[in-house]
Amino acid sequence: MSAATKLGKCFVSPSRVASILDWKAMDSAVMAVDFSGKHVGVAVAGHPARGSVSCLLTSSEKKSQPSDELFGQLEDLVKEHKVCAFVVGWPLQAEGRPGKPCGRVLHVLDRIVQRKGSMLSKARPFTLWDDRSEVTDNDRNYDDVPDEW
């Protein structure tokens, strides 16, 4: 099966991601990932009753492509937080068209889905989220070191 076919089987609408959360069990979470900038941003949001809120878990320097080490860290976070779905930042251009950054996101997702025991599957799908209103180009391309909390 081609990478595009495997990736397509893992893609769902944002409303489907919301319905996957098991609110009764209160032990599932959604992971938001941003592969589009100089850093890879990851946040996990779990059930509010667990006391967990969305927080920045990791931000790692990005070279031309995320490393196998980074994918391993993401897989560890998926297991630790019982992630049931992903929301992936979709960096559309200002006019709403996909550009080179969207191609990079698809390339990273292709690499993830090709990994043995991939964290992306029909059982743990992803959706793309238009992040134009949340992130500006200045936020993505900053050269400063992020604040340390």
Side-chain angles (χ1 to χ4, degrees), residues 79-125:
K79 290 175 191 167
E80 178 184 344
H81 295 280
K82 298 180 183 174
V83 171
C84 64
F86 295 88
V87 176
V88 179
W90 190 234
L92 294 171
Q93 295 176 349
E95 351 24 88
R97 291 182 296 193
K100 188 176 178 180
C102 288
R104 281 191 294 248
V105 169
L106 288 175
H107 179 72
V108 171
L109 291 172
D110 280 342
R111 285 189 55 211
I112 290 172
V113 81
Q114 291 298 329
R115 290 175 61 87
K116 185 177 180 181
S118 174
M119 62 183 127
L120 290 176
S121 66
K122 271 183 131 175
R124 192 181 296 126

Side-chain angles (χ1 to χ4, degrees), residues 1-146:
M1 190 180 304
S2 74
T5 303
K6 286 182 181 179
L7 193 59
K9 290 182 184 270
C10 303
F11 179 72
V12 296
S13 69
S15 61
R16 177 70 181 121
V17 166
S19 69
I20 290 171
L21 280 168
D22 187 356
W23 288 107
K24 290 180 182 173
M26 296 191 304
D27 66 348
S28 59
V30 173
M31 180 180 281
V33 187
D34 182 6
F35 295 114
S36 60
K38 290 183 179 180
H39 300 271
V40 175
V42 178
V44 174
H47 193 286
R50 283 187 8 207
S52 69
V53 294
S54 186
C55 60
L56 185 63
L57 294 176
T58 185
S59 179
S60 49
E61 282 296 324
K62 182 177 176 184
K63 305 196 177 21
S64 61
Q65 301 178 30
S67 65
D68 286 336
E69 179 184 348
L70 177 68
F71 290 143
Q73 291 172 347
L74 287 174
E75 289 165 356
D76 291 344
L77 290 170
V78 166
K79 290 175 191 167
E80 178 184 344
H81 295 280
K82 298 180 183 174
V83 171
C84 64
F86 295 88
V87 176
V88 179
W90 190 234
L92 294 171
Q93 295 176 349
E95 351 24 88
R97 291 182 296 193
K100 188 176 178 180
C102 288
R104 281 191 294 248
V105 169
L106 288 175
H107 179 72
V108 171
L109 291 172
D110 280 342
R111 285 189 55 211
I112 290 172
V113 81
Q114 291 298 329
R115 290 175 61 87
K116 185 177 180 181
S118 174
M119 62 183 127
L120 290 176
S121 66
K122 271 183 131 175
R124 192 181 296 126
F126 75 95
T127 192
L128 298 173
W129 190 261
D130 177 1
D131 63 2
R132 286 177 293 168
S133 63
E134 285 84 24
V135 180
T136 66
D137 286 339
N138 291 336
D139 292 333
R140 274 208 181 96
N141 298 320
Y142 68 94
D143 292 324
D144 297 335
V145 177

